[in-house]
Amino acid sequence: MSPFPYDRWTLTGIGDEAASDTDGQLAALARLGWDSVELRSVDGIALADLTPAAFAGLTRRLADAGVRVVAVASRIGNWARPITGDLALDLTELDILAERCAALDCRFVRIMSYPNDGLPEPDWADRVLARTAVLTDRAARAGLVLLHENCAGWAGERADRTLRLLSAVDSPALRLLFDIGNGVPYGYSAPELLRPLAPYVAHVHVKDAVRTPDGETAYTLPGEGDAEVAACLRILAAHGYTGALSLEPHLALRPHEGLTRAGEDAADLFVRAGRALAGLLRSLDEAPDRAPAPTPASVAAPLGGPA
Protein backbone atom coordinates (compact mmCIF):
# COMPACT_ATOMS: atom_id res chain seq x y z
CA MET A 1 0.00 0.00 0.00
CA SER A 2 1.24 3.49 -0.81
CA PRO A 3 2.15 5.48 2.32
CA PHE A 4 0.70 8.60 0.72
CA PRO A 5 -2.97 9.57 0.84
CA TYR A 6 -3.54 10.39 -2.83
CA ASP A 7 -6.49 8.01 -2.97
CA ARG A 8 -8.12 9.88 -0.07
CA TRP A 9 -7.92 13.31 -1.67
CA THR A 10 -11.22 14.57 -3.05
CA LEU A 11 -10.91 15.88 -6.60
CA THR A 12 -13.20 18.85 -7.15
CA GLY A 13 -13.15 22.25 -8.78
CA ILE A 14 -14.42 25.81 -8.75
CA GLY A 15 -17.40 25.30 -11.00
CA ASP A 16 -17.61 28.73 -12.58
CA GLU A 17 -14.28 28.15 -14.37
CA ALA A 18 -16.00 25.44 -16.41
CA ALA A 19 -19.25 27.28 -17.12
CA SER A 20 -21.17 30.24 -15.75
CA ASP A 21 -24.48 28.40 -15.36
CA THR A 22 -25.30 25.59 -12.95
CA ASP A 23 -26.10 23.03 -15.64
CA GLY A 24 -22.80 23.67 -17.40
CA GLN A 25 -20.83 23.40 -14.18
CA LEU A 26 -22.52 20.12 -13.27
CA ALA A 27 -22.00 18.75 -16.77
CA ALA A 28 -18.25 19.38 -16.58
CA LEU A 29 -18.02 17.68 -13.19
CA ALA A 30 -19.97 14.70 -14.55
CA ARG A 31 -17.53 14.33 -17.44
CA LEU A 32 -14.73 14.04 -14.89
CA GLY A 33 -16.69 11.70 -12.64
CA TRP A 34 -16.46 14.14 -9.73
CA ASP A 35 -19.28 14.45 -7.21
CA SER A 36 -18.35 17.67 -5.42
CA VAL A 37 -17.87 21.34 -6.28
CA GLU A 38 -16.47 24.55 -4.86
CA LEU A 39 -18.91 27.41 -5.37
CA ARG A 40 -18.01 30.99 -6.24
CA SER A 41 -20.58 32.34 -8.69
CA VAL A 42 -23.55 31.26 -10.79
CA ASP A 43 -24.54 33.11 -13.95
CA GLY A 44 -21.91 35.71 -13.09
CA ILE A 45 -23.43 36.41 -9.67
CA ALA A 46 -21.51 35.74 -6.47
CA LEU A 47 -23.05 33.14 -4.20
CA ALA A 48 -23.84 35.70 -1.50
CA ASP A 49 -25.61 37.95 -4.04
CA LEU A 50 -27.97 35.31 -5.48
CA THR A 51 -31.62 35.98 -4.82
CA PRO A 52 -33.28 33.57 -2.39
CA ALA A 53 -35.15 32.01 -5.31
CA ALA A 54 -31.97 31.57 -7.36
CA PHE A 55 -30.15 30.06 -4.39
CA ALA A 56 -33.02 27.66 -3.72
CA GLY A 57 -32.88 26.57 -7.36
CA LEU A 58 -29.12 26.03 -7.09
CA THR A 59 -29.46 23.84 -3.99
CA ARG A 60 -32.13 21.75 -5.69
CA ARG A 61 -29.99 21.20 -8.78
CA LEU A 62 -27.00 20.18 -6.68
CA ALA A 63 -29.10 17.76 -4.64
CA ASP A 64 -30.69 16.26 -7.75
CA ALA A 65 -27.24 15.72 -9.27
CA GLY A 66 -25.83 14.22 -6.06
CA VAL A 67 -23.12 16.87 -5.90
CA ARG A 68 -21.94 18.17 -2.53
CA VAL A 69 -20.26 21.52 -1.84
CA VAL A 70 -16.80 21.29 -0.28
CA ALA A 71 -16.06 25.01 0.02
CA VAL A 72 -17.30 28.48 -0.86
CA ALA A 73 -14.97 31.10 -2.34
CA SER A 74 -16.04 34.42 -0.85
CA ARG A 75 -14.87 37.95 -1.67
CA ILE A 76 -13.97 38.72 1.95
CA GLY A 77 -10.64 40.55 2.14
CA ASN A 78 -9.92 40.01 -1.55
CA TRP A 79 -8.14 42.18 -4.13
CA ALA A 80 -11.20 44.42 -4.53
CA ARG A 81 -11.60 45.12 -0.80
CA PRO A 82 -8.61 47.03 0.61
CA ILE A 83 -7.89 47.27 4.31
CA THR A 84 -9.31 50.81 4.43
CA GLY A 85 -12.70 49.62 3.15
CA ASP A 86 -15.85 49.10 5.16
CA LEU A 87 -15.69 45.96 7.31
CA ALA A 88 -19.49 45.87 7.34
CA LEU A 89 -19.42 44.71 3.71
CA ASP A 90 -17.47 41.59 4.68
CA LEU A 91 -19.51 40.94 7.82
CA THR A 92 -22.71 41.11 5.80
CA GLU A 93 -21.34 38.69 3.21
CA LEU A 94 -20.22 36.31 5.94
CA ASP A 95 -23.66 36.38 7.58
CA ILE A 96 -25.35 35.55 4.28
CA LEU A 97 -22.85 32.79 3.54
CA ALA A 98 -23.34 31.33 7.01
CA GLU A 99 -27.01 30.77 6.21
CA ARG A 100 -26.24 29.43 2.75
CA CYS A 101 -23.44 27.16 3.93
CA ALA A 102 -25.84 25.68 6.49
CA ALA A 103 -28.26 24.89 3.67
CA LEU A 104 -25.41 23.39 1.62
CA ASP A 105 -23.90 21.44 4.55
CA CYS A 106 -20.58 23.19 3.92
CA ARG A 107 -18.21 24.57 6.57
CA PHE A 108 -15.32 26.10 4.58
CA VAL A 109 -15.32 29.75 3.42
CA ARG A 110 -12.32 31.17 1.55
CA ILE A 111 -11.05 34.61 2.59
CA MET A 112 -7.98 36.77 1.93
CA SER A 113 -6.13 39.29 4.07
CA TYR A 114 -6.84 42.68 2.49
CA PRO A 115 -4.54 44.52 0.09
CA ASN A 116 -2.96 47.66 1.46
CA ASP A 117 -4.18 51.15 0.67
CA GLY A 118 -1.23 53.36 1.52
CA LEU A 119 -0.89 52.47 5.20
CA PRO A 120 2.49 51.88 6.88
CA GLU A 121 3.10 48.14 7.17
CA PRO A 122 2.61 47.99 10.97
CA ASP A 123 -0.78 49.71 10.69
CA TRP A 124 -1.78 47.45 7.80
CA ALA A 125 -0.82 44.41 9.85
CA ASP A 126 -2.68 45.55 12.96
CA ARG A 127 -5.87 46.18 10.99
CA VAL A 128 -5.67 42.81 9.21
CA LEU A 129 -5.16 40.96 12.48
CA ALA A 130 -8.05 42.79 14.15
CA ARG A 131 -10.44 42.30 11.24
CA THR A 132 -9.60 38.64 10.82
CA ALA A 133 -10.19 38.04 14.53
CA VAL A 134 -13.66 39.62 14.29
CA LEU A 135 -14.52 37.61 11.19
CA THR A 136 -13.21 34.37 12.68
CA ASP A 137 -15.21 34.82 15.87
CA ARG A 138 -18.38 35.34 13.87
CA ALA A 139 -17.57 32.34 11.66
CA ALA A 140 -16.93 30.12 14.69
CA ARG A 141 -20.30 31.03 16.19
CA ALA A 142 -21.91 30.01 12.89
CA GLY A 143 -20.05 26.69 12.75
CA LEU A 144 -17.82 27.80 9.86
CA VAL A 145 -14.08 27.61 9.23
CA LEU A 146 -12.46 30.51 7.40
CA LEU A 147 -9.68 29.51 5.01
CA HIS A 148 -7.06 32.18 4.35
CA GLU A 149 -5.66 31.97 0.82
CA ASN A 150 -2.10 32.83 -0.21
CA CYS A 151 -3.27 35.53 -2.58
CA ALA A 152 -4.08 39.23 -2.23
CA GLY A 153 -3.41 40.74 1.16
CA TRP A 154 -0.98 41.23 4.01
CA ALA A 155 -0.39 37.53 4.71
CA GLY A 156 -0.67 36.34 1.12
CA GLU A 157 2.96 35.94 0.10
CA ARG A 158 4.93 35.34 3.29
CA ALA A 159 4.85 32.39 5.63
CA ASP A 160 5.96 34.44 8.64
CA ARG A 161 2.97 36.74 8.25
CA THR A 162 0.60 33.82 7.71
CA LEU A 163 1.86 32.12 10.86
CA ARG A 164 1.54 35.40 12.76
CA LEU A 165 -2.06 35.70 11.57
CA LEU A 166 -2.87 32.17 12.77
CA SER A 167 -1.16 32.76 16.10
CA ALA A 168 -2.81 36.14 16.73
CA VAL A 169 -6.32 34.90 15.97
CA ASP A 170 -5.66 31.57 17.70
CA SER A 171 -8.82 29.77 16.66
CA PRO A 172 -9.59 26.43 15.00
CA ALA A 173 -12.10 28.42 12.92
CA LEU A 174 -9.18 29.93 10.95
CA ARG A 175 -7.11 27.64 8.77
CA LEU A 176 -5.35 27.90 5.41
CA LEU A 177 -6.24 27.44 1.79
CA PHE A 178 -3.09 26.89 -0.25
CA ASP A 179 -3.24 27.81 -3.94
CA ILE A 180 -0.35 26.04 -5.62
CA GLY A 181 -0.38 28.22 -8.73
CA ASN A 182 -0.26 31.64 -7.07
CA GLY A 183 3.51 31.60 -6.70
CA VAL A 184 4.05 32.18 -10.43
CA PRO A 185 2.14 35.50 -10.79
CA TYR A 186 3.20 36.68 -7.34
CA GLY A 187 6.86 35.77 -7.81
CA TYR A 188 7.63 33.24 -5.08
CA SER A 189 8.34 29.51 -4.83
CA ALA A 190 5.16 27.67 -3.87
CA PRO A 191 6.99 24.74 -2.22
CA GLU A 192 9.10 27.12 -0.12
CA LEU A 193 5.99 28.95 1.08
CA LEU A 194 4.08 25.73 1.68
CA ARG A 195 6.61 23.81 3.79
CA PRO A 196 6.12 25.73 7.07
CA LEU A 197 2.40 26.19 6.43
CA ALA A 198 1.45 22.62 5.48
CA PRO A 199 0.28 21.56 8.97
CA TYR A 200 -2.42 24.25 8.85
CA VAL A 201 -3.69 23.65 5.31
CA ALA A 202 -7.32 22.49 5.17
CA HIS A 203 -8.08 23.07 1.47
CA VAL A 204 -6.02 23.29 -1.74
CA HIS A 205 -6.48 25.06 -5.07
CA VAL A 206 -4.65 23.62 -8.07
CA LYS A 207 -3.52 25.64 -11.05
CA ASP A 208 -0.24 25.87 -12.98
CA ALA A 209 1.37 28.68 -14.94
CA VAL A 210 4.48 30.13 -16.58
CA ARG A 211 5.80 33.67 -16.87
CA THR A 212 5.93 34.96 -20.42
CA PRO A 213 8.85 37.02 -21.79
CA ASP A 214 6.84 40.20 -21.27
CA GLY A 215 6.32 39.39 -17.61
CA GLU A 216 2.70 38.29 -17.86
CA THR A 217 1.31 35.00 -16.54
CA ALA A 218 0.10 32.26 -18.88
CA TYR A 219 -1.80 29.38 -17.32
CA THR A 220 -1.18 25.75 -18.27
CA LEU A 221 -2.49 22.30 -17.51
CA PRO A 222 -1.45 21.06 -14.05
CA GLY A 223 2.09 19.70 -14.19
CA GLU A 224 3.03 21.56 -17.37
CA GLY A 225 4.03 24.91 -15.86
CA ASP A 226 6.50 26.31 -13.34
CA ALA A 227 4.33 26.23 -10.20
CA GLU A 228 5.94 22.95 -9.04
CA VAL A 229 2.58 21.30 -8.56
CA ALA A 230 4.07 17.84 -8.01
CA ALA A 231 6.48 19.10 -5.34
CA CYS A 232 3.62 20.80 -3.48
CA LEU A 233 1.48 17.66 -3.63
CA ARG A 234 4.34 15.62 -2.20
CA ILE A 235 4.75 18.08 0.68
CA LEU A 236 1.03 17.88 1.43
CA ALA A 237 1.13 14.09 1.31
CA ALA A 238 4.10 13.97 3.65
CA HIS A 239 2.12 16.03 6.16
CA GLY A 240 -0.85 13.67 5.93
CA TYR A 241 -3.16 16.06 4.11
CA THR A 242 -6.47 14.30 3.36
CA GLY A 243 -8.67 17.16 2.12
CA ALA A 244 -9.76 18.31 -1.32
CA LEU A 245 -7.80 19.37 -4.38
CA SER A 246 -9.97 22.02 -6.00
CA LEU A 247 -9.18 22.74 -9.64
CA GLU A 248 -9.01 26.45 -10.54
CA PRO A 249 -7.26 26.23 -13.91
CA HIS A 250 -7.72 29.83 -15.17
CA LEU A 251 -7.52 28.47 -18.72
CA ALA A 252 -10.61 30.04 -20.27
CA LEU A 253 -12.91 31.51 -17.63
CA ARG A 254 -11.89 33.74 -14.75
CA PRO A 255 -15.29 35.08 -13.71
CA HIS A 256 -13.99 36.81 -10.57
CA GLU A 257 -11.79 38.95 -12.84
CA GLY A 258 -14.37 39.31 -15.60
CA LEU A 259 -12.11 37.52 -18.07
CA THR A 260 -13.09 35.09 -20.82
CA ARG A 261 -10.72 33.77 -23.47
CA ALA A 262 -12.44 34.14 -26.82
CA GLY A 263 -12.79 31.08 -29.00
CA GLU A 264 -12.06 28.59 -26.25
CA ASP A 265 -14.44 26.00 -24.80
CA ALA A 266 -14.15 26.53 -21.07
CA ALA A 267 -15.73 23.21 -20.17
CA ASP A 268 -13.38 21.26 -22.44
CA LEU A 269 -10.34 23.01 -21.00
CA PHE A 270 -11.60 22.46 -17.45
CA VAL A 271 -12.04 18.75 -18.15
CA ARG A 272 -8.59 18.53 -19.76
CA ALA A 273 -7.09 20.17 -16.67
CA GLY A 274 -8.97 17.79 -14.38
CA ARG A 275 -7.71 14.78 -16.29
CA ALA A 276 -4.16 16.16 -16.20
CA LEU A 277 -4.43 16.53 -12.42
CA ALA A 278 -5.70 12.96 -12.05
CA GLY A 279 -2.84 11.71 -14.23
CA LEU A 280 -0.31 13.64 -12.17
CA LEU A 281 -1.65 12.06 -8.98
CA ARG A 282 -1.36 8.59 -10.50
CA SER A 283 2.26 9.27 -11.41
CA LEU A 284 3.01 10.45 -7.87
CA ASP A 285 1.38 7.36 -6.41
CA GLU A 286 3.75 5.23 -8.47
CA ALA A 287 6.83 7.08 -7.15
CA PRO A 288 6.10 7.80 -3.45
CA ASP A 289 9.75 7.56 -2.46
CA ARG A 290 10.35 11.03 -3.86
CA ALA A 291 8.25 12.72 -1.18
CA PRO A 292 10.19 15.16 1.03
CA ALA A 293 10.33 14.90 4.80
CA PRO A 294 7.83 17.25 6.46
CA THR A 295 10.37 19.57 8.06
CA PRO A 296 9.88 23.35 8.08
CA ALA A 297 12.11 25.38 5.80
CA SER A 298 13.42 28.88 6.41
CA VAL A 299 11.10 31.61 5.23
CA ALA A 300 12.42 33.50 2.25
CA ALA A 301 11.85 37.22 1.82
CA PRO A 302 9.01 38.02 -0.59
CA LEU A 303 10.05 38.45 -4.21
CA GLY A 304 7.26 40.83 -5.10
CA GLY A 305 4.41 40.42 -7.52
CA PRO A 306 1.01 41.96 -8.15
CA ALA A 307 -0.95 43.36 -5.23
Side-chain angles (χ1 to χ4, degrees), residues 148-152 155-157 177-180 182-183 186 188 193:
H148 174 267
E149 181 178 349
N150 54 310
C151 192
E157 303 173 47
L177 185 164
F178 193 81
D179 189 311
I180 294 173
N182 281 349
Y186 281 83
Y188 59 79
L193 183 67

Side-chain angles (χ1 to χ4, degrees), residues 236-280:
L236 290 164
H239 279 273
Y241 178 74
T242 57
L245 301 181
S246 187
L247 186 67
E248 188 190 16
H250 277 11
L251 293 173
L253 289 179
R254 278 181 266 170
H256 60 299
E257 298 176 24
L259 297 177
T260 302
R261 184 185 296 177
E264 299 283 2
D265 188 307
D268 283 348
L269 289 172
F270 186 91
V271 171
R272 284 180 60 197
R275 290 172 177 162
L277 173 58
L280 181 58

Side-chain angles (χ1 to χ4, degrees), residues 115-170:
N116 201 1
D117 191 21
L119 298 178
E121 192 279 332
D123 293 344
W124 181 24
D126 288 346
R127 292 196 188 191
V128 168
L129 297 177
R131 283 191 174 202
T132 307
V134 170
L135 289 160
T136 302
D137 177 69
R138 187 167 296 201
R141 286 186 276 114
L144 299 177
V145 176
L146 300 183
L147 302 176
H148 174 267
E149 181 178 349
N150 54 310
C151 192
W154 175 77
E157 303 173 47
R158 288 176 47 169
D160 59 340
R161 291 182 178 179
T162 305
L163 293 170
R164 181 182 169 192
L165 180 68
L166 290 169
S167 176
V169 175
D170 191 22

